[in-house]
Amino acid sequence: MSSYHTHITDVLIIGAGLAGERAAIEASSHGLNTIILSLVPPRRSHSTAAQGGMQASLGNSAMGKGDSSDIHFADTVKGSDWGCEQDVARLFCETVPIAVRQMAYWGVPWSRVVAGTKTLPDGRVIEDTKDKEGLITGRNFGGTAKWRTCYTADGTGHTMQYTIDSIVVKLGITVHDRMEAISLIHDGEKCLGVVARCLRTGKLNVYIAKATVIATGGYGRLYGASTNAVICEGTGMALAIDTGQVPLGNMEAVQFHPTGMVPVWILITEGARGDGGYLLDKNHHRFMPDYEPAKKDLASRDVVSRRMIQHMRKGLGVDSPYGPYLWLDIRHLGAKHINTNLREIANICRNFAGVDPIKELIPVRPTQHYSMGGVRTNIDGAAYGLKGLFAVGEASCWDLHGFNRLGGNSLAETVVMGMVVGKRIAEYALGATLEYSYALVEEKAKQQQERIDSLIACRHGREDVFKIRQEMEETLMDYVGIFRTGPALQTAVDRLQVLHERSKHIGLRTSGVGANPEITAALRLPGMIRLALTISYGALQRTESRGSHAREDFPKRDDANWLKRTLAYWPDGAVLPELKYEPVTITELPPGDRGYGESSASSKN
Amino acid sequence: MLDTGISPQRSIGRNPRMDLYLDLAQLISGFLLVGFLWTHMVFVATIIIGVNTFNSLAQFLDDYYLSYVGIPFIGLVALIHVIVVCRRIPNRYQDYWRHARTIMHFDTWTWIFQVVTALGIAFLAGIHVFLVIMGWPIEADTSAARMHAFWWFYLVLLILGEYHAGFGIYRQFVKWGWIKRKTIGFALKSITVIIVALGLAALWVFVQLGGALR
Amino acid sequence: MKNRTLTFSIFRYNPATPEIKPHMQSYQLDETTGMTVFVALNRIREEQDPSLMFDFVCRAAICGSCAMLINGKPRLACKTLTRDYGSKITLMPLPVFKLIGDLSVDTGTWFRHLSIKTRAWIHTNKEFDPKALEERMDNATALEIYEPERCIECGCCIAGCATANIREDFLGAAGLNRVARFMVDPRDHRTEQEYFEVVGSDEGVFGCYGLMACDDNCPTQLPLQWQLAFVRRKMAVAGLKR
């Protein structure tokens, strides 16, 4: 049967964010035929939203003097709460300076060192010296010993994505945007490509490749409230786990940010509280000092997030159609301060919520922010379980971040991993031959076509995809948030299992013809629920607190039993993931105290 | 070799700088016409001071052959202007019309009036020049008689001309960016108002005179 | 706040079902506090009509996906608050770009083509040396490059541009702004003459009528008039110097 448009290539990359495109450049530079699939045009990827920066131990700025990859390594390992692979972290820290300079060579207008003295907000005076003038500078970020976060004004992710994409255009790499991979083709040993659905026409396409790379970003949108772009639905991770052979690593490691703005969940940075803003409940009572008398509203991110949820559980949140929330108050800082020092925050409030923070309160609540877990790969980016399958960036669990990602390490990871793993992908593809059975390919495509036809014909029922999705989002928000307990996690697992069953009975309310959004959602949802189950079930089993995984009933880190990584498999027809564990690679820095005070601080701007 | 996107095929045949030349021709001819128009209005407005001032200025221009050089020159410039700006008129004016109606954007609307006023000016100014030359030399009484009889004609021409000149020159400043958009917009609106006021005053004087001198 | 009922009049057409002609369809929705067109459209899709096609990605005015004509004006739907409008809001897809369906248009293909036409990448003969320090650059220069680099390629300037609406090959403000970005970048070794070949024609900067709908409608407030004028002056000098 040849009704599917078939494309054959050396390297197939799913996802055109920074990691995917960087890997594509590497593959293409090795003379390999490369195709990138993307849900959206590359320059619309979620990578562009990263405003903060990229960590690299260049040591150019005054506060970065004496920095080295060793110090960056130590920061990363501590940040991960010893959950990361130390050989990976070492490789990463050694490579970042090269990656950041290569980005400069390609065109990123990094902010540069300007010689002279400056006074910091806390009164310290620092001096940038003449010999460093014009080199790439770095700024301060949470959880780092040195200032090493390279940035371009307020648009680091944007300039990096545009620059990388300009090289993709220059090299003439094929990009098929609005093309969604919906199933991996594999023969039990080797990955052979994907079946993809065109989001313009709804037609199925088949891509056959020597090497397939998952670069689809995080799964933030499994949660009802996430700072992530709406396309971050973990689609690539679902492809991997659905093979039954490829495990996802540490899915329970989910990073939250305390102040996402209601109802659009755009991040309000910590600057607001750093400058003196505080949180209020529905009675306009400042509640943080009740819980954290010492640090109040400025306790570490995960602590504040947990207290906020705790307070809302007492019924003290403000009710709204978008669920309960709390207030962030910065009015007392005055118009002048808000319009200058907090201008970005003020603009976000005005543009996206119509709130004038000079006179009004800002509605906020803790919001999902980053997925540490993902497709488990070795140090070469090769996925466990299938040859010819790789993963890069947030979609992967390389595992650089362990249980908590350091701010500025995600952007850095995308380009470093793209570079390092891109080379390994190229080596693999150059050494591989393309052998596949077309019968198998056809079979896989047919299965997907049947899925689509069944949904349109409502063959298995008439469940409403959006209702189930909403219930899944609420379940994760309510029971697998920042603050976890055995019973809550068990509730989540139970509910998600029911939802998983119901998701098999989805039927469309519309015709499903063309670029129909309902069928797009319906095809994704069962995979998303399986991811939600790996998160919840992994969290339920992990009876300790580590990094962002905070169990109220097991508040301490437990290195004796849990210094290991969760690997979640989904065997065909299973109702729950099968969990296995593997040891964490510790090469240099044995587990110790993170030195953050309180408990683990998650940090990302 | 850097791949800069230069297509070898395009290097033969049409002069690659033609679009630039046409753009510059539009700019320069436009500036000259605006300069002429404003000078013209100031000259005409001398009637406000008195009939004698007006007549001596006309006499002066005549004596030194300035009119004989000026009128054909401006005619030529106007012709060039007409030719080069015609390339701006869309092949399918409906597209432009639909677009303007959709986005409801002020400057986009003004451009439609730019075309309308251009057509109006071409027609009316032609008649005006013809009438002036037929009644040569320029004198206050003949002018006044004309204005008296055709005041509505001159009122329309005055407004069309100044509108076209004002927005035309505004758009050039916007395109070349010498001065900020708001600043130049304000300045040109002010100048246009002054010139129109002068024109109206002159017209009024002429119309009054027309009655008296007959 | 008194709750209003909003009526959204939305353009509908699905190229997969050409027998149903393009038409406007109305939806009613209760307005909620701080509602944006992003929130409204998602609610309409989930509660009333799951077939409604539109694009959002970042929903924070960073990615440029959601530009559409809101009451005729090109705007980013994510940062458009319903409370700034009357109770009837008309939504149309952007013109110029190919329609995918309803409010969704193919800006991606258009902009990729633009990048290819303008050769929008750094042109240099230097090789990257992984062992060397980065080349120095003035911070002021970096900021000067960043200014035009901020363009999010949403297409508002193109949709609003009369020239782009009447001639297909016009690069538009986004294209000329993109060229300006490389012109000010010392890492790019292209000469003025080489830039002239790309933008020194009516297809490029001389095709601009100066109507400035781009400047007036840019959601990121890029100084487009200034960038276009900069390119025009530079290209005039380059063309006259030959």
Side-chain angles (χ1 to χ4, degrees):
Chain A
M1 195 164 101
S2 58
S3 64
Y4 312 113
H5 195 163
T6 304
H7 314 257
I8 298 179
T9 184
D10 293 321
V11 178
L12 176 71
I13 295 183
I14 313 165
L18 277 172
E21 288 211 318
R22 183 62 190 83
I25 289 170
E26 208 59 38
S28 178
S29 304
H30 281 75
L32 292 160
N33 201 342
T34 306
I35 297 179
I36 306 177
L37 308 185
S38 178
L39 297 178
V40 296
R43 295 181 183 198
R44 315 261 186 249
S45 301
H46 185 52
S47 300
T48 59
Q51 299 188 335
M54 149 171 184
Q55 287 210 39
S57 55
L58 302 178
N60 291 332
S61 69
M63 297 297 281
K65 283 250 155 74
D67 199 5
S68 69
S69 51
D70 294 337
I71 305 177
H72 188 186
F73 171 81
D75 284 344
T76 302
V77 175
K78 281 182 201 162
S80 79
D81 220 351
W82 279 269
C84 75
E85 290 285 276
Q86 294 193 6
D87 52 349
V88 166
R90 178 49 80 178
L91 171 69
F92 165 79
C93 293
E94 302 289 344
T95 317
V96 199
I98 300 170
V100 75
R101 287 178 182 133
Q102 187 175 44
M103 295 302 293
Y105 165 79
W106 277 333
V108 171
W110 295 114
S111 293
R112 304 291 175 136
V113 174
V114 180
T117 57
K118 295 165 194 80
T119 308
L120 302 181
D122 62 9
R124 277 180 299 169
V125 177
I126 56 170
E127 186 183 1
D128 277 303
T129 47
K130 203 82 191 159
D131 60 316
K132 298 286 187 191
E133 187 155 54
L135 294 174
I136 297 167
T137 191
R139 66 177 164 204
N140 196 11
F141 243 47
T144 65
K146 299 280 180 186
W147 289 22
R148 72 165 80 84
T149 308
C150 307
Y151 63 100
T152 47
D154 57 355
T156 316
H158 171 89
T159 58
M160 287 175 73
Q161 178 80 51
Y162 273 55
T163 300
I164 284 274
D165 191 54
S166 80
I167 303 302
V168 166
V169 173
K170 176 187 170 184
L171 296 176
I173 297 171
T174 308
V175 179
H176 290 176
D177 68 0
R178 294 184 190 259
M179 184 65 81
E180 175 173 1
I182 55 171
S183 172
L184 288 181
I185 304 169
H186 67 96
D187 58 10
E189 274 178 29
K190 241 181 3 179
C191 180
L192 299 165
V194 302
V195 178
R197 178 172 165 269
C198 176
L199 299 179
R200 287 182 171 83
T201 62
K203 297 224 161 62
L204 289 188
N205 285 245
V206 168
Y207 290 83
I208 295 164
K210 292 180 188 168
T212 304
V213 185
I214 294 174
T216 50
Y219 52 68
R221 284 284 159 170
L222 297 181
Y223 283 82
S226 169
T227 63
N228 286 191
V230 299
I231 52 170
C232 299
E233 298 186 313
T235 47
M237 299 180 198
L239 293 182
I241 200 169
D242 282 354
T243 59
Q245 285 170 273
V246 179
L248 303 181
N250 281 350
M251 290 294 278
E252 62 269 32
V254 185
Q255 192 173 66
F256 278 77
H257 196 284
T259 51
M261 186 173 63
V262 183
V264 284
W265 317 118
I266 299 169
L267 198 73
I268 302 288
T269 68
E270 267 143 344
R273 279 170 294 128
D275 286 9
Y278 43 69
L279 295 161
L280 301 177
D281 64 17
K282 72 172 180 186
N283 304 319
H284 289 203
H285 168 64
R286 185 179 174 188
F287 60 91
M288 276 307 294
D290 304 345
Y291 298 103
E292 302 287 335
K295 294 204 163 181
K296 307 187 178 75
D297 301 87
L298 278 172
S300 67
R301 276 186 193 179
D302 49 349
V303 174
V304 176
S305 297
R306 264 176 253 149
R307 295 311 188 189
M308 288 169 76
I309 296 286
Q310 196 176 354
H311 204 66
M312 287 192 286
R313 278 187 193 163
K314 292 179 184 165
L316 292 164
V318 186
D319 285 319
S320 81
Y322 311 109
Y325 60 79
L326 294 159
W327 298 115
L328 175 63
D329 189 359
I330 60 170
R331 295 173 301 180
H332 53 283
L333 302 178
K336 196 174 158 229
H337 185 90
I338 293 171
N339 285 332
T340 52
N341 298 23
L342 301 175
R343 190 177 57 188
E344 213 172 305
I345 294 172
N347 282 341
I348 289 174
C349 293
R350 290 182 190 126
N351 285 337
F352 297 100
V355 168
D356 179 2
I358 294 167
K359 296 184 206 129
E360 296 166 276
L361 299 169
I362 310 168
V364 293
R365 66 163 290 163
T367 304
Q368 192 282 346
H369 192 47
Y370 189 82
S371 328
M372 270 78 73
V375 179
R376 178 68 187 125
T377 71
N378 64 16
I379 194 167
D380 295 332
Y384 286 17
L386 279 180
K387 275 205 289 189
L389 181 66
F390 297 81
V392 289
E394 192 175 347
S396 73
C397 179
W398 193 18
D399 175 2
L400 173 66
H401 308 303
F403 273 79
N404 177 62
R405 180 183 59 80
L406 219 54
N409 261 359
S410 54
L411 218 42
E413 184 194 42
T414 60
V415 284
V416 169
M417 200 174 180
M419 179 196 251
V420 173
V421 171
K423 217 166 273 161
R424 301 285 165 262
I425 294 166
E427 284 164 11
Y428 172 85
L430 287 168
T433 48
L434 192 59
E435 281 169 34
Y436 62 94
S437 134
Y438 201 76
L440 172 77
V441 171
E442 222 172 55
E443 170 66 23
K444 296 279 181 184
K446 223 161 121 192
Q447 276 173 12
Q448 295 307 315
Q449 189 61 55
E450 271 167 20
R451 264 181 85 197
I452 291 171
D453 295 344
S454 300
L455 284 166
I456 292 174
C458 298
R459 255 176 236 149
H460 304 298
R462 292 186 176 273
E463 288 278 4
D464 179 339
V465 57
F466 297 116
K467 286 210 177 94
I468 301 181
R469 190 173 78 187
Q470 197 183 346
E471 282 181 49
M472 171 197 73
E473 290 170 358
E474 282 166 8
T475 306
L476 283 185
M477 282 313 291
D478 294 346
Y479 303 102
V480 203
I482 314 156
F483 213 6
R484 299 168 176 182
T485 63
L489 291 168
Q490 188 60 57
T491 309
V493 170
D494 295 344
R495 290 195 183 190
L496 288 167
Q497 280 189 289
V498 173
L499 291 176
H500 187 231
E501 188 52 38
R502 278 174 60 193
S503 74
K504 292 173 187 162
H505 304 287
I506 292 171
L508 298 194
R509 287 177 287 162
T510 59
S511 68
V513 176
N516 182 289
E518 190 185 21
I519 193 160
T520 305
L523 287 167
R524 279 180 204 167
L525 189 65
M528 290 166 72
I529 298 176
R530 285 192 280 278
L531 296 185
L533 270 165
T534 61
I535 296 167
S536 319
Y537 194 56
L540 176 65
Q541 299 303 318
R542 186 174 281 273
T543 48
E544 65 155 353
S545 290
R546 184 182 294 272
S548 66
H549 171 69
R551 285 283 295 257
E552 274 179 293
D553 39 1
F554 300 93
K556 291 266 182 292
R557 195 175 80 198
D558 178 1
D559 288 330
N561 296 305
W562 287 103
L563 189 57
K564 55 189 181 186
R565 180 173 303 108
T566 310
L567 296 178
Y569 292 80
W570 200 285
D572 197 27
V575 291
L576 266 183
E578 192 183 302
L579 300 187
K580 293 180 185 169
Y581 295 90
E582 67 171 3
V584 173
T585 308
I586 290 173
T587 53
E588 301 178 46
L589 203 62
D593 179 32
R594 302 170 88 196
Y596 290 179
E598 303 210 65
S599 86
S600 53
S602 60
S603 44
K604 181 191 178 185
N605 196 358
Chain B
M1 233 322 255
L2 297 176
D3 175 16
T4 53
I6 295 174
S7 76
Q9 296 95 312
R10 273 170 51 177
S11 59
I12 303 287
R14 189 172 182 272
N15 184 342
R17 277 175 287 275
M18 188 48 79
D19 291 336
L20 166 64
Y21 294 153
L22 289 174
D23 201 62
L24 288 175
Q26 182 184 346
L27 169 75
I28 294 163
S29 61
F31 262 110
L32 287 172
L33 287 173
V34 170
F36 161 73
L37 195 61
W38 288 353
T39 321
H40 176 359
M41 286 320 296
V42 172
F43 284 180
V44 168
T46 53
I47 196 69
I48 303 167
I49 305 174
V51 173
N52 288 339
T53 321
F54 180 86
N55 281 339
S56 7
L57 182 61
Q59 187 66 40
F60 168 81
L61 293 175
D62 205 345
D63 286 353
Y64 289 89
Y65 300 102
L66 289 172
S67 300
Y68 303 104
V69 179
I71 294 174
F73 175 70
I74 290 303
L76 182 68
V77 172
L79 189 67
I80 293 173
H81 192 72
V82 168
I83 292 169
V84 296
V85 296
C86 274
R87 79 192 199 287
R88 289 290 189 217
I89 296 177
N91 296 341
R92 282 160 40 92
Y93 65 91
Q94 306 97 312
D95 289 348
Y96 191 99
W97 179 246
R98 191 180 330 110
H99 172 68
R101 284 203 344 177
T102 308
I103 72 160
M104 299 305 286
H105 174 252
F106 185 75
D107 282 17
T108 304
W109 276 119
T110 63
W111 194 84
I112 289 188
F113 292 110
Q114 199 74 359
V115 177
V116 173
T117 52
L119 293 172
I121 292 166
F123 185 62
L124 299 184
I127 296 173
H128 166 65
V129 173
F130 178 76
L131 288 177
V132 169
I133 291 170
M134 286 295 104
W136 200 261
I138 298 174
E139 275 171 5
D141 55 347
T142 48
S143 297
R146 253 189 300 123
M147 305 273 175
H148 186 74
F150 303 113
W151 62 270
W152 46 270
F153 174 92
Y154 282 100
L155 184 67
V156 173
L157 181 56
L158 172 71
I159 292 170
L160 293 188
E162 292 309 328
Y163 176 94
H164 190 87
F167 275 105
I169 203 168
Y170 160 75
R171 207 158 278 122
Q172 289 299 337
F173 272 104
V174 162
K175 285 199 282 192
W176 293 89
W178 297 296
I179 306 170
K180 274 210 167 127
R181 227 173 119 200
K182 278 220 171 105
T183 318
I184 196 67
F186 179 75
L188 287 170
K189 263 179 231 156
S190 309
I191 294 174
T192 304
V193 167
I194 292 168
I195 299 279
V196 169
L198 269 181
L200 287 174
L203 186 60
W204 188 75
V205 173
F206 272 124
V207 170
Q208 296 304 312
L209 282 175
L213 291 173
R214 192 178 300 175
Chain C
M1 184 169 130
K2 203 173 144 234
N3 275 356
R4 297 191 296 172
T5 300
L6 302 175
T7 305
F8 287 88
S9 176
I10 300 177
F11 174 89
R12 300 300 311 269
Y13 180 67
N14 185 350
T17 52
E19 64 279 8
I20 305 167
K21 297 286 170 227
H23 60 282
M24 301 300 289
Q25 190 170 347
S26 286
Y27 299 93
Q28 309 224 313
L29 205 60
D30 288 328
E31 189 175 33
T32 48
T33 316
M35 185 186 249
T36 60
V37 175
F38 162 72
V39 174
L41 282 174
N42 275 291
R43 269 190 52 199
I44 293 174
R45 180 191 281 173
E46 288 174 18
E47 296 165 14
Q48 302 183 32
D49 189 344
S51 70
L52 187 61
M53 292 175 264
F54 51 77
D55 294 319
F56 287 98
V57 178
C58 77
R59 55 82 183 88
I62 294 164
C63 76
S65 300
C66 64
M68 56 184 71
L69 297 182
I70 301 178
N71 284 357
K73 307 242 181 230
R75 293 283 180 271
L76 291 182
C78 68
K79 71 178 231 184
T80 299
L81 292 160
T82 53
R83 75 168 188 197
D84 295 336
Y85 288 78
S87 60
K88 187 171 180 212
I89 300 175
T90 307
L91 304 178
M92 298 275 290
L94 286 190
V96 183
F97 304 99
K98 189 179 174 215
L99 185 79
I100 287 173
D102 301 340
L103 299 173
S104 172
V105 291
D106 193 352
T107 48
T109 303
W110 197 96
F111 276 100
R112 178 151 168 129
H113 187 56
L114 180 82
S115 281
I116 295 169
K117 273 209 291 191
T118 56
R119 299 297 194 270
W121 56 83
I122 297 277
H123 289 63
T124 176
N125 285 317
K126 287 188 188 156
E127 290 291 322
F128 174 64
D129 177 2
K131 290 192 199 81
L133 276 187
E134 65 271 24
E135 272 187 41
R136 288 175 198 249
M137 178 189 277
D138 248 10
N139 196 48
T141 309
L143 289 172
E144 204 189 336
I145 298 167
Y146 180 63
E147 187 67 5
E149 174 87 350
R150 284 167 46 225
C151 170
I152 55 171
E153 299 190 347
C154 61
C156 284
C157 62
I158 306 300
C161 175
T163 316
N165 271 270
I166 54 187
R167 64 178 293 174
E168 255 178 33
D169 58 358
F170 185 52
L171 297 174
L176 296 166
N177 175 73
R178 181 70 43 205
V179 170
R181 178 248 174 272
F182 289 98
M183 280 180 175
V184 298
D185 195 325
R187 293 167 293 197
D188 197 306
H189 296 164
R190 273 177 284 186
T191 63
E192 281 180 351
Q193 297 303 323
E194 287 166 330
Y195 283 120
F196 189 87
E197 290 282 341
V198 179
V199 293
S201 65
D202 276 359
E203 193 180 313
V205 74
F206 300 121
C208 167
Y209 283 34
L211 306 179
M212 292 297 119
C214 53
D215 197 62
D216 290 331
N217 287 314
C218 177
T220 35
Q221 279 94 42
L222 287 172
L224 290 174
Q225 186 220 339
W226 233 228
Q227 300 290 359
L228 265 87
F230 165 73
V231 175
R232 181 183 283 264
R233 291 196 303 265
K234 224 167 154 76
M235 289 302 96
V237 171
L240 293 176
K241 269 202 302 207
R242 56 171 55 220

